[in-house]
Amino acid sequence: MREAGRASIIYAYESLLDRLYSKLPSRGAKASRFELPRLFVERVGGKTLVRNFKQVSDVMRRDPRIVMRYLLRELGTSGNYDEESGILTINTRVSTATLNNLTQRFVKTYVICPTCGAPDTRLERRGRTWVLVCEACGAEQPVPPL
Ligand SMILES: [Zn+2]
């Protein structure tokens, strides 16, 4: 009776360790695997073009229109996304540094899981609430609506 109890405690401890270790390495690997491509920005007249906007959105696994909505709102300007060419046009002049900063902020809020740091997430709309759902650890984090 006593032996069996001890064995099950050891088993529970070992399976706990297994679960811990199985989570740890993938955590670091996933976080470091994520690299945001550099934005290819061009100013044309009074407008700013992001030529690889689709590619960057694809890496983040986000709809380009959602990323655009965020950028335009933060910049307080208008613009449009051309699905055919994958180019974002912003109707004002914006520096590359500003666009890079905003995109990094988008990634931090709407892509990277705050619990485990993995980029394997999706955005879910639940009524008026937007939730960042992590496919790596299952965590859910409400985020500001877009
Ligand atoms: Zn996670």
Side-chain angles (χ1 to χ4, degrees):
M1 193 66 182
R2 206 178 271 173
E3 276 302 298
R6 194 162 171 244
S8 74
I9 287 169
I10 287 169
Y11 173 76
Y13 179 66
E14 278 177 349
S15 71
L16 199 74
L17 275 184
D18 280 350
R19 265 164 51 202
L20 265 174
Y21 283 127
S22 70
K23 278 184 182 176
L24 284 177
S26 65
R27 201 181 273 191
K30 269 169 189 155
S32 62
R33 203 181 63 204
F34 186 74
E35 242 181 78
L36 195 66
R38 286 194 160 273
L39 296 173
F40 182 16
V41 182
E42 197 182 322
R43 253 84 42 186
V44 179
K47 297 184 177 193
T48 306
L49 271 56
V50 182
R51 294 207 166 271
N52 60 344
F53 193 65
K54 188 195 184 314
Q55 187 203 336
V56 171
S57 301
D58 283 352
V59 170
M60 298 190 286
R61 292 171 61 201
R62 291 295 174 269
D63 187 330
R65 280 167 293 250
I66 282 183
V67 185
M68 172 180 75
R69 225 186 302 171
Y70 174 81
L71 291 179
L72 294 180
R73 194 185 60 192
E74 293 297 305
L75 292 165
T77 187
S78 59
N80 69 283
Y81 169 67
D82 182 55
E83 212 151 331
E84 199 113 321
S85 60
I87 295 175
L88 170 69
T89 304
I90 303 166
N91 294 333
T92 187
R93 289 177 76 91
V94 192
S95 75
T96 308
T98 299
L99 282 172
N100 275 320
N101 283 341
L102 285 176
T103 312
Q104 292 290 355
R105 259 164 56 189
F106 179 87
V107 168
K108 218 175 152 190
T109 311
Y110 294 102
V111 179
I112 300 293
C113 169
T115 303
C116 76
D120 308 302
T121 60
R122 62 178 191 273
L123 275 178
E124 268 183 26
R125 223 178 145 163
R126 295 174 190 166
R128 287 185 181 173
T129 313
W130 289 61
V131 183
L132 183 69
V133 181
C134 180
E135 289 164 1
C137 79
E140 297 190 355
Q141 171 76 25
V143 291
L146 284 167

